[in-house]
Amino acid sequence: MSTTRIAEAVSRLRCISCGTTPDSAAQDFRCAACGDLLEFFFPGWVFDPPDPAALKALWLSRRTSRDRLDQSGVWRFRELLPHISEEHAITLREGNTPLYSLPRCAQAAGVENLHAKHQGMNPTASFKDTGMTFAASSAHHAGFRWVACASTGNTSASMAAYAARGNMRSLVLIPEGKISWGKLSQSLDYGALTCQLRTDFDGCVSILNELVRQKPVYLLNSVNPYRIEGQKTAAIELMEQLAWQPPDHIIVPGGNLGNSSAIGKALLEMRELKLISRLPKLSIIQAQGANPFYRSVREFGGKKLEPMTADTQATAIRIGNPASWKKAWRVLEATGGEVEEVSEVEIAAAKAEIGADGIGCEPASAVTLAGLKKLRQRGFVKRDEAAILILTGHLLKDPDFTIKFHRGDLFAGTPHQDEAAQVKHLQRAPVELDANLGAVIAVLEAAERNS
Ligand code: F0G
């Protein structure tokens, strides 16, 4: 590990509702006094904050290091994380994800300055790896043999990989028939014990919560505050990529709401430590069929959340009872962000547009562009403001969705059929031809005439 004169941060746990500060967390990571979620805080930062210029220089210097922790885009920022000793660190060199410009998407959304931070470029192809490296390491540190999660597919893929690297067994609970093959195949290959339960994601969560109370199994869902700490680093890395000049807007998809909470927490901490001088507005986008947080904010001012039965083809965010909604509301309020909901067709169109910029993502990630268009139309995002989309998963996570969209099958026979006719121009179905040069040239010339 590289040497540093910056003192290690001392962290404590605190309940987000009643403020209790327990010395350790129970197996379900709920506050023993009131049952709400826990979070880490760093008491030393109030009177003895680390020097922001020294932190920036240290993190930059680690980019040329051969040390495995320095090479991780999560552990590189360890001064802002709770302490886990190096011998327990399980890393796949996660983080270090690219920031891409999106010129065509910018035009479609009516903004001048649009970029995507592509968290799908992580080792298991989703943003989950940044939280998982840290939380799986905490499980290793605590000596667990089994780790477990309920998942819509990405958490489970990530957990299975990190458990395997750390010589731990992993138990995956996923909703039967409602996760993509790409994600399922990952957890099988990484050696997880994979249970497809005849319920939805929320049903899987309930069973897992009971299980961890009865068995020595370490919970790796995002109620685990170590997950949030690891996921924070995406925002730190983003600010470093932007030379510590915050954008006006950051836009994230909302499912269980761990990611928005983590990014928001990082923004607030970076401002507290004077790493950045102002806060970007953090906005959260949900699918219309899985919009409990959108409704919570719109109908109840974020004070209450009514669980719902969720349904969307963006299966990663098919979640009706998000665990971290209070944390997400707090960061939305603190940063002045907004919520939006987008339709199934809007998601599919935005996904094809992100693909057409040569980037690509999975459906749940594309809600960000669809949401940006709405926020722009409402005037919340201005034409000349800088916006960053957080793309959470790789295009290849869900090829079925993509192929169905381009073949025109995604909405056939659904209530969205008529709306889908309006985005037909984005479809690029494969052309089946005889093995004949003349036929290929004819198609090429027709394509050129139409472009
Ligand atoms: N995007 C993708 C690709 C996801 O997999 C998820 C969540 C989200 C967005 C939403 O993030 O839950 O932090 O608000 N996937 C979880 C899973 C629930 O089990 O893989 P969130």
Side-chain angles (χ1 to χ4, degrees):
M1 219 186 288
S2 49
T3 50
T4 163
R5 283 174 285 111
I6 297 168
E8 207 167 75
V10 174
S11 63
R12 294 289 317 259
L13 284 167
R14 174 172 63 200
C15 171
I16 62 163
S17 281
C18 71
T20 304
T21 53
D23 288 335
S24 63
Q27 296 249 122
D28 62 358
F29 290 103
R30 295 274 171 181
C31 170
C34 77
D36 218 325
L37 298 185
L38 302 175
E39 66 180 353
F40 279 107
F41 73 109
F42 301 87
W45 289 355
V46 177
F47 296 112
D48 189 18
D51 172 30
L55 281 174
K56 290 175 186 177
L58 175 66
W59 295 335
L60 201 60
S61 75
R62 287 181 180 153
R63 294 183 63 169
T64 52
S65 164
R66 288 204 176 84
D67 179 278
R68 71 186 185 112
L69 292 194
D70 292 348
Q71 286 182 357
S72 160
V74 172
W75 296 86
R76 189 157 71 86
F77 300 106
R78 54 193 172 270
E79 285 70 24
L80 300 201
L81 302 176
H83 177 72
I84 295 179
S85 57
E86 183 172 1
E87 78 227 64
H88 295 293
I90 308 165
T91 173
L92 289 162
R93 317 298 189 269
E94 51 291 313
N96 299 314
T97 59
L99 187 65
Y100 295 124
S101 66
L102 291 175
R104 290 189 189 85
C105 293
Q107 214 169 10
V111 293
E112 285 160 11
N113 185 350
L114 181 63
H115 287 77
K117 173 121 178 102
H118 204 330
Q119 295 297 94
M121 305 297 268
N122 265 294
T124 77
S126 87
F127 73 103
K128 303 291 183 181
D129 294 341
T130 54
M132 201 54 75
T133 179
F134 206 61
S137 301
S138 79
H140 195 270
H141 181 231
F144 278 87
R145 173 169 158 72
W146 279 91
V147 294
C149 72
S151 181
T152 56
N154 278 327
T155 301
S156 44
S158 182
M159 177 188 76
Y162 282 87
R165 297 295 298 178
N167 287 318
M168 296 181 289
R169 297 294 316 275
S170 63
L171 169 70
V172 163
L173 302 186
I174 46 173
E176 209 263 326
K178 295 292 180 194
I179 79 162
S180 74
W181 291 116
K183 299 173 190 176
L184 176 60
S185 62
Q186 286 182 291
S187 80
L188 302 181
D189 231 29
Y190 300 138
L193 169 58
T194 305
C195 300
Q196 297 183 272
L197 304 189
R198 288 181 211 95
T199 178
D200 55 12
F201 169 79
D202 303 293
C204 293
V205 169
S206 306
I207 292 186
L208 185 61
N209 282 336
E210 276 309 309
L211 180 87
V212 297
R213 285 184 198 118
Q214 294 186 23
K215 293 282 173 194
V217 170
Y218 187 84
L219 180 67
L220 277 176
N221 275 84
S222 56
V223 295
N224 180 326
Y226 287 97
R227 283 271 313 276
I228 303 294
E229 291 303 302
Q231 273 172 226
K232 258 178 21 181
T233 58
I236 307 171
E237 185 179 274
L238 171 64
M239 291 306 143
E240 186 187 59
Q241 285 168 314
L242 295 171
W244 304 100
Q245 298 302 315
D248 299 293
H249 297 275
I250 297 179
I251 302 179
V252 289
N256 214 18
L257 298 170
N259 199 32
S260 28
S261 305
I263 290 174
K265 185 172 193 280
L267 295 175
L268 295 169
E269 289 177 355
M270 283 190 281
R271 193 188 52 173
E272 183 189 342
L273 293 176
K274 301 193 166 50
L275 288 159
I276 54 174
S277 57
R278 64 184 177 84
L279 289 174
K281 295 187 173 74
L282 181 70
S283 292
I284 302 175
I285 318 295
Q286 295 205 294
Q288 233 159 38
N291 64 352
F293 185 64
Y294 171 82
R295 291 193 294 119
S296 162
V297 174
R298 287 294 162 92
E299 291 168 27
F300 308 115
K303 299 286 176 283
K304 164 176 130 173
L305 181 131
E306 278 181 357
M308 66 185 287
T309 303
D311 195 20
T312 168
Q313 296 205 65
T315 52
I317 50 174
R318 196 171 178 274
I319 294 171
N321 190 12
S324 295
W325 69 273
K326 284 186 193 164
K327 288 185 178 179
W329 166 245
R330 225 172 38 178
V331 298
L332 201 78
E333 231 189 349
T335 68
E338 259 295 349
V339 280
E340 255 309 341
E341 59 170 0
V342 292
S343 74
E344 294 293 291
V345 173
E346 287 168 338
I347 296 171
K351 189 175 116 57
E353 286 169 334
I354 293 166
D357 253 329
I359 304 297
C361 63
E362 71 163 282
S365 310
V367 302
T368 53
L369 177 61
L372 169 66
K373 288 182 191 171
K374 291 197 153 172
L375 294 173
R376 175 74 191 95
Q377 279 157 16
R378 282 170 42 194
F380 180 73
V381 175
K382 313 272 182 304
R383 172 172 285 280
D384 60 351
E385 286 183 326
I388 308 284
L389 308 181
I390 305 292
L391 301 182
T392 45
H394 197 280
L395 170 70
L396 294 177
K397 282 280 190 176
D398 193 354
D400 270 5
F401 181 105
T402 310
I403 292 168
K404 280 190 192 154
F405 175 75
H406 287 289
R407 288 210 160 121
D409 299 338
L410 193 64
F411 298 110
T414 75
H416 312 295
Q417 207 164 286
D418 291 346
E419 191 189 344
Q422 294 161 26
V423 299
K424 221 171 168 349
H425 62 283
L426 295 168
Q427 289 168 6
R428 304 272 178 269
V431 187
E432 258 183 59
L433 296 173
D434 286 333
N436 173 314
L437 177 63
V440 176
I441 289 177
V443 167
L444 177 68
E445 288 176 348
E448 176 56 25
R449 273 195 304 278
N450 295 332
S451 62

